[in-house]
């Protein structure tokens, strides 16, 4: 039986000028986000980063690490604890761990993700990128409505017509690598982003062996 959902906001005061606020949720996924409302009728959202937090006089507890890789939080105004579906969320990353060199016609790396209704729209700024090893430049990029791009080490190595789905927001999310060879062994990172949110996941693929005689 699934655990019951529980939401709590805990606060403690260490001195006259400092209040620690903790947003707690159990039995739910994903982890909660904290929202600050400027006033009851606040509409415009403000992204929280280190600079904007400092401007608000908010400091993170020592040693605190954002579980979502320092993603900016969406804040609007009073304090509330929200646990719900994120705007962008990678739900599964399928990468073959081992591929024998020359034994397969292709390797398929698929990045499944979900989008909120707002992020599925044409003006969300949705971009899907794949990165190889530690390179800061993508080896693949797809913007819905445009043709996918193969870049760098994957230039000329992909089937850019492959569709992982028929949905306009996810159809070209995957890498279809033709005739994978040993130089393509490494870490593959999928990054899905919009103007308001971002998620990423990475896995390693090893291509081993020699070409057949």
């Amino acid at each position: 039986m699934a655990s019951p959902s529980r939401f709590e906001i805990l606060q403690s005061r260490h001195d006259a000028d400092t209040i620690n606020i903790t947003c707690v949720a159990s039995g739910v996924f994903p982890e909660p986000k904290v929202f600050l409302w400027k006033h009851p009728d606040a509409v415009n959202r403000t992204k929280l980063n280190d600079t904007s937090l400092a401007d608000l006089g908010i400091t993170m507890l020592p040693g605190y690490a954002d579980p979502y890789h320092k993603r900016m939080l969406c804040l609007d105004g009073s304090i509330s604890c929200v646990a719900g579906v994120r705007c962008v969320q990678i739900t599964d990353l399928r990468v073959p761990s081992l591929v024998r060199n020359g034994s397969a016609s292709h390797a398929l790396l698929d990045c499944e993700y979900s989008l909120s209704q707002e992020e599925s729209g044409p003006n969300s700024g949705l971009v899907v990128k794949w990165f190889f090893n530690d390179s800061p430049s993508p080896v693949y990029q797809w913007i819905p409505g445009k043709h996918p791009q193969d870049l760098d080490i994957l230039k000329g190595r992909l089937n850019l017509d492959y569709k992982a789905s028929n949905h306009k927001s996810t159809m070209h999310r995957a890498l279809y690598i033709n005739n994978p060879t040993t130089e393509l062994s490494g870490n593959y990172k999928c990054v899905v982003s919009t103007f308001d949110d971002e998620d990423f996941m990475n896995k390693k693929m090893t291509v081993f062996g020699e070409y057949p005689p």
Side-chain angles (χ1 to χ4, degrees):
M1 181 180 295
S3 301
S5 298
R6 179 176 67 88
F7 303 91
E8 258 187 296
I9 294 183
L10 308 176
Q11 74 175 45
S12 60
R13 181 184 291 275
H14 291 283
D15 54 52
D17 300 318
T18 305
I19 298 177
N20 291 332
I21 299 172
T22 304
C23 184
V24 179
S26 62
V28 294
F29 183 84
E31 294 184 30
K33 294 180 180 180
V34 176
F35 284 71
L36 300 180
W37 297 87
K38 296 175 183 176
H39 54 76
D41 298 321
V43 174
N44 297 325
R45 285 191 169 185
T46 300
K47 299 261 192 312
L48 283 193
N49 53 32
D50 291 341
T51 301
S52 55
L53 283 171
D55 291 342
L56 292 171
I58 299 173
T59 56
M60 291 297 184
L61 295 174
Y64 173 81
D66 183 352
Y68 291 126
H69 317 290
K70 296 185 179 180
R71 176 180 293 109
M72 293 186 294
L73 302 177
C74 295
L75 304 187
D76 282 4
S78 81
I79 299 172
S80 63
C81 176
V82 178
V85 177
R86 283 164 33 206
C87 300
V88 176
Q89 182 178 344
I90 294 178
T91 56
D92 192 17
L93 183 67
R94 294 191 294 276
V95 175
S97 57
L98 294 174
V99 177
R100 187 174 182 85
N101 190 357
S103 67
S105 62
H106 70 274
L108 182 62
L109 289 64
D110 196 2
C111 181
E112 287 191 9
Y113 53 88
S114 62
L115 302 169
S116 67
Q117 184 175 356
E118 293 80 6
E119 301 301 334
S120 298
N123 300 317
S124 67
L126 177 63
V127 183
V128 178
K129 295 180 181 180
W130 284 83
F131 294 83
F132 180 67
N133 288 334
D134 296 323
S135 174
S137 301
V139 293
Y140 176 83
Q141 177 174 292
W142 173 57
I143 299 172
K146 298 184 178 181
H147 198 62
Q149 294 178 280
D150 51 352
L151 306 164
D152 200 11
I153 196 171
L154 292 184
K155 185 72 174 179
R157 305 292 300 270
L158 301 178
N159 178 356
L160 296 178
D161 293 323
Y162 175 79
K163 293 182 180 180
S165 80
N166 291 319
H167 194 282
K168 62 183 179 180
S169 296
T170 61
M171 61 174 59
H172 291 298
R173 69 190 186 215
L175 295 181
Y176 188 108
I177 304 175
N178 292 313
N179 302 310
T181 48
T182 54
E183 68 270 20
L184 298 183
S185 291
N187 191 61
Y188 288 82
K189 179 171 71 172
C190 174
V191 179
V192 183
S193 62
T194 65
F195 291 139
D196 294 323
D197 203 1
E198 179 181 288
D199 199 8
F200 72 86
M201 194 177 292
N202 59 76
K203 285 188 178 179
K204 185 177 181 180
M205 180 178 76
T206 300
V207 184
F208 68 97
E210 302 297 331
Y211 284 104

